[in-house]
Amino acid sequence: MNILVTGGAGYIGSIVVEELLAQGEEVVVFDNLCYGHRAAVPPQAAFVEGDLSDRAAVRAVFDSYPIEAVMHFASYTLVGESMAHPFRYLGDNVTNGLNLLREAVAHGVRRFILSSTANLFGTPERIPIGEKERIVPGSPYGESKYILERILHWLDRIYDFRYAALRYFNAAGASPTGERGEDHNPETHLIPLVLQVALGQRDKITIFGDDYPTRDGTCVRDYIHVSDLAQAHILALRALDAGSRTYNLGNGQGFTVREVIETCRAVTGHPIPAEVGPRRPGDPAVLIAGSEKIRRELGWRPRYPDLRTIVEHAWEWHRTHPHGYGDRRTPKA
Ligand code: UFG
């Protein structure tokens, strides 16, 4: 199948591209390289540098390649940033997605996978969080993904447009090939930040609050290996013709921030100094996925469910790529 992957130069997108190619699919990556890295795109994939806000550029991709399905990763993705720059999310994330969808529909493409997020559930009432949990987005970021999910719902009704919305919990780890991993600038995610301490690039890690109602007072998250996420995308794509679907994606097991730091100490052999700081606004205490639906319907089974393996793969990437892809740019203000 010929698959257009937006954001295919980013962390999750590039590892999905790697898996798609390994399974014999043909891939066109469309990425503006604002956050993505050219070097993250496997050489077997076609690459188009472009921005989803440029409708003519999006149209040109569909005109130039026989696209049969789209995987949409290109997006602003930071919960905290979305509270400071809501229009980037409620505006750009939505209109960019619409440009893509308009051109997909106009070109007869009827298969679409959306990267969605656990942030749709805000502070959930029940743990683990199933697909039927009440949707109360925790931020403009989560809201922007929910708006796209709703748009997809209507495209399905009107155009038989088949989609899967995959609501990720905390994506982590690196490609088991060791070639691709996390390289954000600025980095905000827990595991890469902790590993930067082990690399000597930071003095310490700050724990954002230790007064949550959890077993050690720090937040609990469900870390899912990026390669298991990639497998879920491929299974969802293959099942699309049987109908649209929405899944929560995590391992169903939560770890506290302190447990993550302890695991990083064990894997790296570095003491990793940590200090407790104030809570980060908007962080819910506990997020754990109920992923029974995708297990039952698609037979998805995570290959790397344990946190130690996730951290080992992340460490292997950071240790061998201490400056990521080596193309640091100044972040957008
Ligand atoms: N944390 C720290 N110190 C840090 C960084 C993070 O204590 O320096 C804590 C956070 O407070 C949180 C946990 O580590 O409790 C994980 O934080 P991340 O920033 O790694 O991830 P988030 O859970 O905030 O967000 C991630 C994705 C979002 C997605 C969300 C869904 O980045 O896009 O998961 O749950 F919406």
Side-chain angles (χ1 to χ4, degrees):
M1 208 184 292
N2 233 296
I3 303 162
L4 173 62
V5 181
T6 74
Y11 167 48
I12 301 174
S14 66
I15 292 172
V16 172
V17 170
E18 187 181 272
E19 290 283 345
L20 286 168
L21 293 167
Q23 299 201 20
E25 307 291 359
E26 288 181 67
V27 176
V28 181
V29 168
F30 186 85
D31 198 298
N32 64 8
L33 299 182
C34 269
Y35 297 97
H37 309 273
R38 182 65 183 89
V41 181
Q44 305 92 309
F47 177 72
V48 179
E49 184 172 347
D51 199 295
L52 289 172
S53 64
D54 179 354
R55 181 108 177 254
V58 179
R59 184 176 310 129
V61 176
F62 283 97
D63 285 341
S64 307
Y65 296 92
I67 305 295
E68 297 165 87
V70 177
M71 291 194 180
H72 179 38
F73 297 92
S75 175
Y76 294 109
T77 60
L78 298 175
V79 172
E81 182 191 66
S82 78
M83 300 296 287
H85 297 284
F87 291 113
R88 202 172 276 178
Y89 288 77
L90 299 167
D92 298 354
N93 270 4
V94 174
T95 54
N96 291 348
L98 275 172
N99 282 345
L100 179 65
L101 287 165
R102 281 201 174 102
E103 292 304 327
V105 169
H107 287 80
V109 176
R110 295 288 183 272
R111 299 187 189 96
F112 194 93
I113 311 272
L114 174 71
S115 301
S116 189
T117 173
N119 191 258
L120 250 59
F121 304 109
T123 301
E125 284 170 7
R126 276 176 300 268
I127 297 290
I129 307 169
E131 286 78 6
K132 296 211 169 100
E133 178 66 27
R134 209 154 55 97
I135 293 187
V136 191
S139 67
Y141 167 60
E143 190 76 49
S144 73
K145 295 290 186 174
Y146 188 52
I147 293 169
L148 289 173
E149 287 196 9
R150 295 304 302 163
I151 292 168
L152 289 169
H153 164 82
W154 287 107
L155 298 186
D156 180 323
R157 290 273 298 271
I158 296 164
Y159 297 117
D160 290 334
F161 191 91
R162 300 297 180 232
Y163 70 91
L166 303 180
R167 298 164 173 169
Y168 315 154
F169 282 61
N170 288 62
S175 161
T177 64
E179 287 175 56
R180 290 177 183 80
E182 218 161 345
D183 179 4
H184 297 116
N185 184 25
E187 186 53 76
T188 62
H189 296 103
L190 179 64
I191 292 175
L193 287 173
V194 174
L195 296 178
Q196 285 175 2
V197 180
L199 280 173
Q201 296 174 344
R202 290 175 194 268
D203 296 341
K204 57 179 185 295
I205 183 76
T206 302
I207 298 171
F208 294 150
D210 69 347
D211 57 351
Y212 287 94
T214 61
R215 51 185 174 266
D216 64 17
T218 66
C219 288
V220 170
R221 292 290 180 273
D222 182 340
Y223 295 88
I224 173 170
H225 196 292
V226 61
S227 168
D228 289 326
L229 273 185
Q231 292 305 329
H233 283 75
I234 293 169
L235 290 173
L237 177 68
R238 299 208 169 125
L240 273 191
D241 291 346
S244 295
R245 48 202 69 233
T246 297
Y247 297 118
N248 290 358
L249 269 178
N251 279 312
Q253 209 189 342
F255 292 92
T256 67
V257 173
R258 284 194 196 282
E259 287 163 352
V260 170
I261 297 170
E262 207 43 64
T263 305
C264 293
R265 288 181 180 132
V267 167
T268 63
H270 190 282
I272 309 182
E275 68 172 20
V276 177
R279 287 183 176 201
R280 185 170 66 177
D283 272 343
V286 182
L287 288 174
I288 300 174
S291 294
E292 287 316 308
K293 191 176 168 210
I294 189 166
R295 288 171 185 267
R296 192 176 62 244
E297 292 186 3
L298 302 187
W300 177 73
R301 297 283 176 277
R303 275 185 299 186
Y304 309 109
D306 62 300
L307 181 63
R308 190 175 171 115
T309 312
I310 292 173
V311 170
E312 279 169 358
H313 288 181
W315 178 233
E316 182 59 19
W317 158 257
H318 287 285
R319 200 177 54 74
T320 54
H321 301 78
H323 303 291
Y325 292 99
D327 57 355
R328 278 287 140 84
R329 290 170 303 267
T330 313
K332 194 167 162 178

